[in-house]
Amino acid sequence: MEGGRLYGRGAADMKSGLLANFFALKTLLILGLKPKGTVLLQSVIEEEAGGSGGTLACLHAGYKADAMIIPEPFDLRIITAHPGIRYFRVKVIGKTAHAGQSHLGVNAIGKLARIYDRLMELDLERAKRHRNPFFEASSGRSCNLNIGTFKAGDWVSTVAGAAQLEARISYLPEETEESMRREVEEAVSEVVAKDPWLKDHPPAIEWFGWDAKPWIQDPEIPLIRRFEKVASEVLTFTPEIAASHAGLDTRFGPYFAMPSFTFGPRGGLLHTSNEYVDLDSVLQTTKVLAAFIADWCEI
Amino acid sequence: MEGGRLYGRGAADMKSGLLANFFALKTLLILGLKPKGTVLLQSVIEEEAGGSGGTLACLHAGYKADAMIIPEPFDLRIITAHPGIRYFRVKVIGKTAHAGQSHLGVNAIGKLARIYDRLMELDLERAKRHRNPFFEASSGRSCNLNIGTFKAGDWVSTVAGAAQLEARISYLPEETEESMRREVEEAVSEVVAKDPWLKDHPPAIEWFGWDAKPWIQDPEIPLIRRFEKVASEVLTFTPEIAASHAGLDTRFGPYFAMPSFTFGPRGGLLHTSNEYVDLDSVLQTTKVLAAFIADWCEI
């Protein structure tokens, strides 16, 4: 702890939110207050890896409610949307050769680098072509194509015979997953069309891992308008309604006819060893959640 | 074994050469013949990783001779030269960011890809600028710059914050190691000069591992002319005198005033699981070595 912040991996994302949930409910109970409705508090795993084994498993097991609030660390904002998210990888093969005769091989690094370049162009094209002011407001971008890894070659003395990149793409609710995939596949095809080696040795595109559909929660519903009002009273400012650029477990709510949103503390450097949470925002989150339970469940 | 070939990792490079050495000497001894000079047979490790712990260690320990023959699998040719060889790596740093805000990060893959491209251009430039017909005869190239590995990024959902490539460069006896290094460093500097991010975050170039000076053995010395004559009689063809594009332990000979060359069997797909050696060439190598020991050591 230093300067009002608690540091450590998971401090913000999302031990603090979980504790805010816990103490909001516990405080009410300690005070002898009893919500008229049932308040379910769940602590789940696996949101970072797709969420199917955590929140979705709980929902499938029958733990449902009239609404779902997830206290993700989004700076005391009310989050009501995120884009669709998919992972994909592109694999190319080259032709190995001894480094002393590298001109007789085909280096897979160079072939994949052309695909990297084209996908980065596609990222810019998509940012211009697919625009959504609500999504754009958070970070200046509606959608992103990120290439997170690029791995090629086994040994410095051999021409790299295989190369692979892994990417994460986000897509807007106004797109379809199919049209987004087509854009990626066409971009790769354009590179292939210009390269005789790749024409004869077409890259493999694999869609793997994360498979999140866009999530849009109408903020005009009574649940959120009520939450906004209660939060404004506790915080003395009106929390902003915003979109997330990360995929959230909130998206599973609609599949079970549950409106869902996120509201949680203020943190930074999430997923790094210097991750931190502002402790005053944890207390604010706790108070808002307690006040909302009291209000919504008519204590 | 199949079709006159023995398959397996190490079959050619270089268990067969070692056995040819062993049986050449043993056969003479079994026949009751005794070389007038001392014939040292050494089985050493580590040539692939730079050779300092094998051949060089033996020489340093005092195991020297008037000449050194290494039976590397070079298709019954007499190898009398190889280029200088060095390894280097280039590291760049970018700026990580969440994949959902990738436009706020700096992807290290793209920065390193520009350096990859420039180094591949340098490879072609060097092949045009540095020419040596003797080296060029073996594979159509005098020198090679190979990029063997390219690794970047930790996770698909993060902008790749660091990237590294590893390369092997060969250089001719008529170059200096310093001038070769300057060519590499200037090529990287050209990329840096064009990129504001790289200017502020200059790549690191590290010269590591392999550090072989060019090796040139004059083939006109009596040792080699004599060997060529004896081999021609055994093989019924005159073995070609050629350069290797791989670094060999032969290069340590000159440091100890020992002429050195390589002569060994015919193999293929070296360093792969399908490596093979032509068994008839192993027998030919054995016969040539036995005949040469008998001739040179005046049995």
Side-chain angles (χ1 to χ4, degrees):
Chain A
M1 276 203 284
E2 202 183 305
R5 288 179 171 176
L6 176 73
Y7 285 85
R9 181 76 176 88
D13 187 14
M14 55 176 271
K15 290 188 168 64
S16 289
L18 178 60
L19 285 178
N21 262 354
F22 178 76
F23 283 108
L25 188 57
K26 178 148 184 172
T27 304
L28 293 176
L29 298 177
I30 286 173
L31 291 173
L33 303 170
K34 204 165 157 26
K36 291 217 176 84
T38 302
V39 179
L40 283 175
L41 196 158
Q42 292 182 347
S43 170
V44 300
I45 58 165
E46 221 231 340
E47 183 253 9
E48 300 294 345
S52 54
T55 298
L56 187 58
C58 284
L59 290 166
H60 270 301
Y63 296 96
K64 289 168 218 165
D66 297 330
M68 170 163 71
I69 307 175
I70 299 184
E72 290 264 8
F74 276 103
D75 305 346
L76 303 172
R77 290 178 296 162
I78 297 171
I79 302 296
T80 60
H82 70 61
I85 290 161
R86 295 264 5 211
Y87 281 178
F88 65 94
R89 60 171 69 96
V90 183
K91 292 178 179 181
V92 299
I93 53 162
K95 185 179 157 195
T96 56
H98 189 289
Q101 303 185 330
S102 57
H103 60 295
L104 304 178
V106 174
N107 201 314
I109 299 169
K111 300 302 176 196
L112 192 63
R114 298 292 75 76
I115 293 171
Y116 172 89
D117 291 340
R118 183 66 193 91
L119 289 174
M120 288 295 91
E121 283 172 15
L122 177 63
D123 177 43
L124 292 173
E125 291 164 16
R126 284 177 50 77
K128 281 183 195 154
R129 192 165 51 219
H130 301 292
R131 302 193 63 171
N132 179 315
F134 186 56
F135 280 90
E136 226 164 271
S138 316
S139 70
R141 265 293 190 93
S142 283
C143 54
N144 288 78
L145 194 174
N146 176 64
I147 300 181
T149 66
F150 188 118
K151 309 242 153 106
D154 299 312
W155 191 36
V156 63
S157 278
T158 305
V159 172
Q164 174 180 297
L165 63 78
E166 289 189 340
R168 172 195 186 275
I169 188 166
S170 59
Y171 61 101
L172 293 175
E174 43 271 50
E175 297 182 75
T176 64
E177 189 187 331
E178 290 63 38
S179 67
M180 174 278 289
R181 285 170 65 144
R182 214 175 307 126
E183 287 187 20
V184 169
E185 284 157 4
E186 282 173 4
V188 173
S189 296
E190 285 171 34
V191 179
V192 172
K194 289 181 198 157
D195 187 297
W197 173 267
L198 289 176
K199 259 190 247 179
D200 289 340
H201 304 83
I205 302 179
E206 293 170 6
W207 298 87
F208 74 103
W210 266 85
D211 184 5
K213 300 279 182 285
W215 163 67
I216 299 283
Q217 173 61 60
D218 177 6
E220 302 301 334
I221 60 170
L223 168 81
I224 293 181
R225 285 299 165 210
R226 190 85 204 168
F227 185 87
E228 189 184 30
K229 184 171 174 294
V230 170
S232 304
E233 285 162 10
V234 175
L235 299 170
T236 69
F237 64 85
T238 305
E240 188 191 347
I241 291 183
S244 161
H245 288 272
L248 303 171
D249 278 357
T250 43
R251 73 185 182 279
F252 298 124
Y255 296 124
F256 295 83
M258 290 160 56
S260 56
F261 68 94
T262 272
F263 178 84
R266 190 183 296 116
L269 300 175
L270 308 189
H271 297 195
T272 76
S273 51
N274 290 323
E275 179 176 334
Y276 65 86
V277 68
D278 285 333
L279 287 172
D280 61 349
S281 73
V282 182
L283 191 57
Q284 286 170 302
T285 303
T286 310
K287 285 179 181 173
V288 168
L289 290 168
F292 183 68
I293 294 168
D295 182 86
W296 188 255
C297 301
E298 292 172 22
I299 278 177
Chain B
M1 277 201 284
E2 200 183 306
R5 289 179 170 176
L6 177 71
Y7 286 84
R9 183 74 178 87
D13 185 17
M14 57 176 271
K15 290 188 169 65
S16 289
L18 178 61
L19 285 178
N21 262 353
F22 178 77
F23 283 108
L25 188 58
K26 178 148 187 172
T27 303
L28 293 176
L29 298 175
I30 287 173
L31 291 173
L33 303 171
K34 204 168 156 29
K36 290 219 177 83
T38 301
V39 179
L40 283 174
L41 196 159
Q42 293 181 348
S43 168
V44 299
I45 58 163
E46 222 234 338
E47 184 252 10
E48 300 293 345
S52 54
T55 297
L56 186 58
C58 284
L59 290 165
H60 269 301
Y63 296 96
K64 291 169 216 163
D66 296 330
M68 171 163 71
I69 306 174
I70 300 184
E72 290 265 8
F74 276 103
D75 304 346
L76 304 172
R77 290 177 297 162
I78 298 172
I79 302 296
T80 60
H82 69 61
I85 291 161
R86 295 257 16 207
Y87 281 177
F88 65 93
R89 60 171 70 94
V90 183
K91 292 179 180 180
V92 298
I93 54 163
K95 185 178 158 195
T96 56
H98 188 288
Q101 304 186 331
S102 57
H103 60 295
L104 304 179
V106 175
N107 200 316
I109 299 168
K111 300 302 175 194
L112 192 63
R114 299 291 75 76
I115 293 171
Y116 171 89
D117 291 341
R118 182 66 193 92
L119 290 174
M120 289 294 91
E121 283 172 16
L122 176 64
D123 178 44
L124 293 173
E125 290 164 17
R126 283 177 50 77
K128 282 183 195 156
R129 191 165 54 218
H130 301 291
R131 302 193 61 171
N132 179 316
F134 185 57
F135 281 90
E136 226 164 273
S138 317
S139 71
R141 264 295 189 93
S142 285
C143 53
N144 289 76
L145 195 175
N146 176 63
I147 300 181
T149 66
F150 189 118
K151 308 241 153 106
D154 300 312
W155 190 35
V156 64
S157 277
T158 305
V159 173
Q164 173 180 299
L165 64 78
E166 290 189 340
R168 173 196 188 274
I169 187 165
S170 59
Y171 61 101
L172 294 175
E174 44 270 49
E175 297 182 75
T176 64
E177 188 187 332
E178 289 65 37
S179 66
M180 173 279 287
R181 284 170 64 144
R182 213 175 308 125
E183 287 186 20
V184 169
E185 283 157 4
E186 281 173 5
V188 173
S189 295
E190 284 171 34
V191 179
V192 172
K194 288 181 198 154
D195 187 298
W197 173 265
L198 289 177
K199 259 191 247 179
D200 290 339
H201 304 83
I205 303 179
E206 292 170 6
W207 298 87
F208 74 104
W210 266 86
D211 184 4
K213 301 279 181 284
W215 163 67
I216 299 284
Q217 173 62 58
D218 176 7
E220 301 303 334
I221 60 171
L223 168 80
I224 294 181
R225 285 300 165 210
R226 190 85 205 167
F227 185 88
E228 190 184 28
K229 184 171 173 293
V230 171
S232 303
E233 285 162 11
V234 175
L235 299 170
T236 70
F237 64 85
T238 305
E240 188 192 347
I241 291 182
S244 160
H245 287 273
L248 304 172
D249 278 356
T250 42
R251 73 184 182 279
F252 298 124
Y255 296 124
F256 295 84
M258 291 160 55
S260 57
F261 68 93
T262 272
F263 177 84
R266 192 183 294 115
L269 300 176
L270 308 189
H271 297 195
T272 74
S273 52
N274 290 324
E275 179 176 333
Y276 65 85
V277 67
D278 285 335
L279 288 171
D280 60 350
S281 74
V282 181
L283 191 57
Q284 286 170 301
T285 302
T286 310
K287 285 179 180 172
V288 168
L289 289 169
F292 182 68
I293 293 169
D295 182 87
W296 187 255
C297 300
E298 292 172 21
I299 279 176

